[in-house]
């Protein structure tokens, strides 16, 4: 009975996250151009959402890696916010092909969590390589690409930095830090960390990672936000979000813009 209650609670939480009507409304009202594209590589086709900035010059691109909840409306909204700041942003649905009839996040429903845990790391890397290649070659891109991820995607961002020497920066939000610390030697770009004070499951690993990155001669700049919990970027935008998460969101977003200006 206890297991049933816990499972039911988890399903309710997932439904609450994936609903995100407020994020969907912001996307609908956005003046920027956002569209679905299919990025192909090998035998795979990855459904992705891309948003373009309203600028005169070519822009840097950002690959957004979604949370463990898949490509939600909030993740798509992040691409719009990045475009508002002047950047091309693309968010791949890394669950593409895992759902019924070859679908992804939307088709999986409550099966998203299980499906995302079964994704092979090699496939994730290949999907992200395809995203970097796709956006870097867009006529409106200046050839520079940054990767930015949240929760599960934050962990994948850090891991991906050990696998691609072409990205200009990795912005990892409260994601698990790779256990294979020897792979840090392969990182060729600065890694910027964003963590919540009340997210000890993740944040407790930061000091050791910082020491390992320093030993490897790599740039790792983690910041921990007072009173913030896990997922503060999403919950900080939610109208019902807590004050500490809202402040952490605002401060982190300001930092993101400062970092991207330096790329």
């Amino acid at each position: 009975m206890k297991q049933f209650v816990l499972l039911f609670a988890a399903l309710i939480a997932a439904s609450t996250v994936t609903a995100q009507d407020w994020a969907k409304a912001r996307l609908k009202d956005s003046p920027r151009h956002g569209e679905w594209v299919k990025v192909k590589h090998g035998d795979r086709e990855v459904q992705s959402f891309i948003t373009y900035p309203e600028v005169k010059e070519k822009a840097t691109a950002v690959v957004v890696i979604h949370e463990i909840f898949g490509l939600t409306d909030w993740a798509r909204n992040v691409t719009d916010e990045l475009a508002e700041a002047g950047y091309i942003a693309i968010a791949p649905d890394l669950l593409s092909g895992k759902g019924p009839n070859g679908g992804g996040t939307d088709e999986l429903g409550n099966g998203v969590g299980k499906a995302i845990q079964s994704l092979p790391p090699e496939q994730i890397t290949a999907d992200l390589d395809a995203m970097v290649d796709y956006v870097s070659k867009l006529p409106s891109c200046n050839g520079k690409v940054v990767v930015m991820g949240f929760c599960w995607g934050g962990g994948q961002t850090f891991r991906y930095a050990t696998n691609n020497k072409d990205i200009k920066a990795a912005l990892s939000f409260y994601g698990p830090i790779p256990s294979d610390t020897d792979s840090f030697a392969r990182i060729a770009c600065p890694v910027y960390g964003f963590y919540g004070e009340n997210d000890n499951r993740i944040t407790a690993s930061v000091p050791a990672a910082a020491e390992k990155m320093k030993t490897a001669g790599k740039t790792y700049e983690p910041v921990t936000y007072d009173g913030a919990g896990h997922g503060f970027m999403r919950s900080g935008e939610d109208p019902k979000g807590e004050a500490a998460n809202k402040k952490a969101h605002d401060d982190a977003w300001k930092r993101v813009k400062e970092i991207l200006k330096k790329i």
Side-chain angles (χ1 to χ4, degrees), residues 6 23-24 28 39 75 101 138 143 145 161 163 193 201 211 249 252:
L6 290 174
K24 185 179 294 185
K28 183 179 179 181
V39 178
N101 301 315
L138 290 172
V145 183
N163 285 280
R201 177 179 66 91
E211 189 61 34
H249 166 276

Side-chain angles (χ1 to χ4, degrees), residues 8-262:
F8 181 74
L11 293 178
I12 292 297
S15 299
T16 301
V17 168
T18 54
Q20 299 170 350
D21 291 338
W22 47 272
K24 185 179 294 185
R26 289 181 186 179
L27 280 169
K28 183 179 179 181
D29 294 338
S30 172
R32 288 161 292 280
H33 180 77
E35 64 180 3
W36 289 99
V37 295
K38 293 180 179 180
V39 178
K40 299 179 181 180
H41 67 96
D43 296 329
R44 268 183 67 71
E45 188 174 77
V46 183
Q47 183 83 328
S48 309
F49 190 79
I50 188 169
T51 308
Y52 292 89
E54 296 183 333
V55 294
K56 292 190 291 186
E57 306 296 333
K58 291 188 176 185
T60 294
V62 182
V63 176
V64 177
I65 309 179
H66 56 67
E67 300 172 290
I68 200 168
F69 306 108
L71 187 55
T72 60
D73 291 328
W74 176 75
R76 293 196 300 126
N77 186 62
V78 170
T79 70
D80 183 70
E81 292 178 304
L82 285 164
E84 183 180 24
Y87 304 94
I88 302 166
I90 187 168
D93 185 354
L94 296 173
L95 289 167
S96 295
K98 297 290 287 186
N101 301 315
T105 296
D106 288 346
E107 289 74 20
L108 281 163
N110 290 328
V112 165
K114 183 178 180 180
I116 208 166
Q117 296 292 357
S118 70
L119 292 178
E122 298 80 8
Q123 177 179 297
I124 297 170
T125 298
D127 285 353
L128 295 175
D129 280 344
M131 295 301 135
V132 171
D133 182 66
Y134 176 83
V135 291
S136 69
K137 293 178 179 177
L138 290 172
S140 56
C141 181
N142 61 19
K144 298 177 183 179
V145 183
V146 172
V147 176
M148 174 180 180
F150 307 86
C151 179
W152 177 86
Q156 293 301 326
T157 296
F158 207 136
R159 186 189 68 83
Y160 185 61
T162 71
N163 285 280
N164 188 306
K165 295 184 179 298
D166 295 327
I167 59 174
K168 301 303 180 183
L171 281 64
S172 176
F173 286 79
Y174 36 81
I177 294 166
S179 57
D180 177 18
T181 55
D182 289 341
S183 67
F184 292 174
R186 302 198 302 266
I187 296 176
C189 69
V191 177
Y192 300 96
F194 300 75
Y195 304 98
E197 180 184 29
N198 294 341
D199 185 22
N200 192 58
R201 177 179 66 91
I202 299 296
T203 307
S205 301
V206 171
E211 189 61 34
K212 288 284 188 178
M213 286 287 281
K214 182 179 179 180
T215 300
K218 307 301 177 180
T219 299
Y220 176 47
E221 298 181 7
V223 171
T224 300
Y225 296 91
D226 294 345
H230 188 74
F232 64 78
M233 289 302 285
R234 171 175 38 79
S235 58
E237 286 195 65
D238 189 328
K240 298 179 181 178
E242 296 180 0
N245 287 336
K246 289 180 180 295
K247 185 178 187 306
H249 166 276
D250 294 347
D251 290 346
W253 193 242
K254 180 180 178 182
R255 184 182 178 218
V256 167
K257 293 178 181 178
E258 292 172 349
I259 291 168
L260 293 178
K261 283 181 181 179
K262 298 187 297 184

